[in-house]
Amino acid sequence: MKYFCLLIALCATALRAQEVVVIGGTPGGIATAVTAARLGHAVTLVEYHQRIGGMSASGLGASDIENRAMIQGFFREFVDRVKARYVAAYGEKSEAVKLCKDGYWYEPKVAEEVLESFVKEQPEITVLKHHELVSAEVKDGRVVGVTILNRGTKEKRKLKAKVFVDGTYEGDLIAAAGAEFRLGREGRDEFGEPHAGHIYNVPGGERIGGTGEGDKRMQAFTFRIPLSSNPENQVPLTAAPKGYDRARYLGYFDDLKGGRFGENLTTIAFTVRKLPNEKVELNMKPLPLGFVFAEENAGYIEAGWAERERITKKIRDLSLGLLWFLQHDSEVPQNARETALKYQPCKDEFPEYGHFPFQLYVREGRRLVGEFTLSERNITEQEGLPSERRHEDAIAVGEFPIDSFPMQKRQPGDTVVLEGYLGMLKKITRPYQIPYRIMVPKKIDGLIVPVPASTTHVAFSSIRLEPTWMALGQAAGVAAHLAIQHGVDLRKVPVGEMQEELVRQGAVLRP
């Protein structure tokens, strides 16, 4: 009898674990899972990699946010925990605490520890790392199940749930479910967006050319690379990556001659951010015309994982090759080489990935076609374009400037900027309300989409930041809870009740 009762209890737990299934252990996916679990629901969180945390745990060493007051709730809990960890480890007056900037800047391993702590506090969350989404089951227009693959054992498993969540950067679940999506960029006329389509734009300034035509091009994917200046925590590069081609980097010299790096040679080809514990974070600088990463991601989003891994390795080797070039090429100015040589991969980061970040920075993938499509008019104030930044169903606030990496490599005649680059358009972007409807598919039920949400390319260039995704994930978790509690479709969730719960949780809904 005792074993029978135990079996019944285990079966009940297994059933409970299927109330909400989140595909994608990104910060947005984690925020959804934790929020739903806190509200009493059993959640399964599925992640392709061996680690959760997405870019925040994979080299993106800072929370990209311009106005801290605009995003609170789960995200504020995250940064507060980051700071608390540094204070506990090093003391309130330490250099590490100073460099963590109130918890907004951090080492990847610290961000991962904090995100893991949220999940581990919720016994109702089952985490399945190293699992790949294979397919989705849709009946009568509703997602009712998914099939996932254990990447180690190759065992397939089916998961049933009441609510499914796409927390992936790529938008894999919306595609598997047959939901309508966009890929690439809209033309200028489709939504009346001044910065849409094929474009040449002065960084931070005005459009200076381009046809405005839409296409399937994607902004460049890169890696954010943490490096250490402490010899005891370094794994120095001892050789160029296999297939290293010096010719790929020769545009550097033209940029150097043209003064496109400025006077400070320490940031040549990289933007360098100083992190706690003698670490820096490298971001690939998109301003130079010799920027090597545009177009290298071609085909990634719609490819299977084997091809995605091939493209990821190509971009990884291109990144390491650039670092090797700056450290060792005899034509690189000596002071730049000496500076580059001070920084090497961190011994205490990503050991099972060769001390290199596990997550490719997929800045944009598929984008849902939802009940509402957020566009440039919803996130900016500029002459000649009506500003529509308020929504009755607001569930979060966006505030980051429009910012898209280049779409194409240097073209004949390019002398100012690469095509497609929209660099930090602070002059026109304003804090804006994000409507719940951008997370709800037009036709498919049982699915909510906090990460590859319904926006144009231009608008996605503003919401595609981890703090914003955490805010959307928190809202998705509340929506999942209310849909289950009331027994209604996600599109019919009582918005007022959702907003009240989000405010209770500390979220900001108004700029």
Side-chain angles (χ1 to χ4, degrees):
M1 185 65 182
K2 175 175 150 185
Y3 294 108
F4 178 74
C5 291
L6 178 60
L7 180 62
I8 293 295
L10 288 173
C11 289
T13 300
L15 289 172
R16 289 269 300 149
Q18 306 308 306
E19 284 189 302
V20 179
V21 169
V22 180
I23 305 297
T26 62
I30 292 169
T32 306
V34 171
T35 301
R38 285 174 172 177
L39 291 169
H41 302 283
V43 182
T44 299
L45 179 64
V46 181
E47 168 55 34
Y48 176 82
H49 295 97
Q50 298 177 55
R51 296 172 175 234
I52 62 171
M55 283 304 300
S56 294
S58 192
L60 183 59
S63 298
D64 288 318
I65 186 168
E66 296 288 294
N67 188 331
R68 292 183 179 184
M70 293 295 97
I71 305 178
Q72 298 287 306
F74 182 88
F75 169 67
R76 181 54 186 266
E77 288 187 64
F78 168 75
V79 296
D80 285 349
R81 290 193 187 195
V82 169
K83 181 179 179 180
R85 282 182 178 256
Y86 281 115
V87 170
Y90 306 105
E92 185 74 49
K93 303 296 184 181
S94 65
E95 181 69 7
V97 169
K98 179 181 177 181
L99 288 173
C100 87
K101 298 185 182 296
D102 296 320
Y104 286 79
W105 291 22
Y106 36 78
E107 301 159 82
K109 66 177 187 178
V110 172
E112 182 181 15
E113 289 167 1
V114 168
L115 290 168
E116 284 276 12
S117 74
F118 281 108
V119 172
K120 290 175 181 177
E121 289 170 0
Q122 303 302 322
E124 294 282 19
I125 297 180
T126 299
V127 180
L128 300 176
K129 299 176 185 176
H130 211 223
H131 279 71
E132 173 185 338
L133 174 68
V134 175
S135 62
E137 181 182 359
V138 179
K139 288 185 178 179
D140 299 323
R142 171 181 292 276
V143 183
V144 296
V146 295
T147 298
I148 60 174
L149 172 73
N150 185 315
R151 296 178 58 210
T153 66
K154 304 305 179 183
E155 177 186 0
K156 287 185 179 180
R157 177 178 176 183
K158 291 185 177 181
L159 302 176
K160 301 285 186 178
K162 296 176 181 178
V163 173
F164 290 85
V165 182
D166 194 335
T168 68
Y169 294 127
E170 295 86 357
D172 284 343
L173 183 53
I174 59 178
E180 188 179 356
F181 61 84
R182 298 181 177 89
L183 189 65
R185 51 185 174 175
E186 295 76 15
R188 198 175 298 162
D189 295 336
E190 189 170 346
F191 287 87
E193 297 178 298
H195 294 88
H198 182 276
I199 187 171
Y200 285 92
N201 199 81
V202 178
E206 302 300 319
R207 188 177 75 229
I208 58 173
T211 67
E213 295 295 319
D215 54 38
K216 293 292 180 133
R217 291 191 174 96
M218 306 294 293
Q219 58 178 306
F221 298 170
T222 60
F223 282 94
R224 299 294 273 265
I225 308 175
L227 300 175
S228 175
S229 61
N230 180 355
E232 295 183 3
N233 192 34
Q234 291 180 337
V235 184
L237 298 181
T238 57
K242 187 176 180 180
Y244 172 77
D245 180 3
R246 179 178 183 266
R248 298 294 299 272
Y249 310 103
L250 295 182
Y252 163 88
F253 297 113
D254 184 57
D255 285 316
L256 186 65
K257 182 179 178 180
R260 287 184 281 271
F261 293 122
E263 297 179 0
N264 185 358
L265 295 182
T266 64
T267 60
I268 283 179
F270 295 112
T271 299
V272 181
R273 177 181 280 149
K274 194 170 183 181
L275 301 177
N277 289 323
E278 300 177 273
K279 293 179 184 177
V280 297
E281 174 220 325
L282 299 187
N283 186 16
M284 309 308 170
K285 202 167 188 176
L287 286 169
L289 299 179
F291 178 78
V292 297
F293 298 97
E295 302 182 53
E296 298 296 335
N297 56 0
Y300 175 93
I301 294 299
E302 294 190 292
W305 275 109
E307 176 64 8
R308 283 181 177 179
E309 291 285 6
R310 187 194 69 78
I311 294 171
T312 297
K313 182 180 184 303
K314 177 179 66 172
I315 297 174
R316 175 187 186 275
D317 290 347
L318 199 59
S319 306
L320 288 172
L322 178 58
L323 183 57
W324 178 265
F325 172 82
L326 292 173
Q327 289 179 338
H328 297 284
D329 194 280
S330 61
E331 290 189 42
V332 171
Q334 183 177 352
N335 60 341
R337 276 185 283 127
E338 290 174 351
T339 298
L341 279 166
K342 290 179 182 177
Y343 300 102
Q344 301 287 352
C346 308
K347 187 183 296 183
D348 62 349
E349 300 280 5
F350 325 117
E352 75 275 34
Y353 288 93
H355 305 281
F356 191 85
F358 63 91
Q359 174 68 61
L360 176 65
Y361 197 169
V362 179
R363 286 183 168 82
E364 184 175 355
R366 303 177 183 93
R367 303 186 307 279
L368 176 72
V369 174
E371 291 285 353
F372 183 86
T373 298
L374 201 74
S375 69
E376 190 169 346
R377 72 177 61 241
N378 303 122
I379 65 174
T380 65
E381 282 187 5
Q382 51 186 312
E383 187 176 350
L385 183 68
S387 184
E388 301 168 3
R389 295 182 291 114
R390 296 193 177 276
H391 307 275
E392 290 186 3
D393 61 336
I395 41 77
V397 170
E399 52 77 51
F400 200 78
I402 294 167
D403 183 46
S404 175
F405 263 37
M407 297 282 180
Q408 296 189 71
K409 295 183 184 299
R410 188 173 187 176
Q411 303 296 301
D414 287 358
T415 58
V416 178
V417 68
L418 293 178
E419 195 278 313
Y421 180 49
L422 301 173
M424 295 294 284
L425 303 187
K426 295 182 180 182
K427 292 182 180 179
I428 61 173
T429 312
R430 298 289 182 271
Y432 54 91
Q433 290 182 311
I434 301 176
Y436 174 60
R437 289 163 290 163
I438 75 166
M439 298 195 292
V440 180
K442 267 191 173 182
K443 298 177 182 178
I444 299 293
D445 290 319
L447 173 64
I448 191 164
V449 184
V451 178
S454 179
T455 76
T456 64
H457 160 70
V458 175
F460 200 80
S461 298
S462 173
I463 75 160
R464 62 168 189 82
L465 288 307
E466 304 297 352
T468 314
W469 276 330
M470 287 191 213
L472 291 175
Q474 185 173 8
V478 173
H481 160 68
L482 291 174
I484 294 170
Q485 183 184 60
H486 292 290
V488 298
D489 291 336
L490 286 158
R491 68 186 71 255
K492 295 181 180 178
V493 163
V495 171
E497 196 172 338
M498 178 167 47
Q499 291 171 328
E500 289 175 6
E501 178 60 29
L502 285 168
V503 170
R504 187 189 70 78
Q505 294 181 14
V508 176
L509 308 187
R510 289 179 174 273

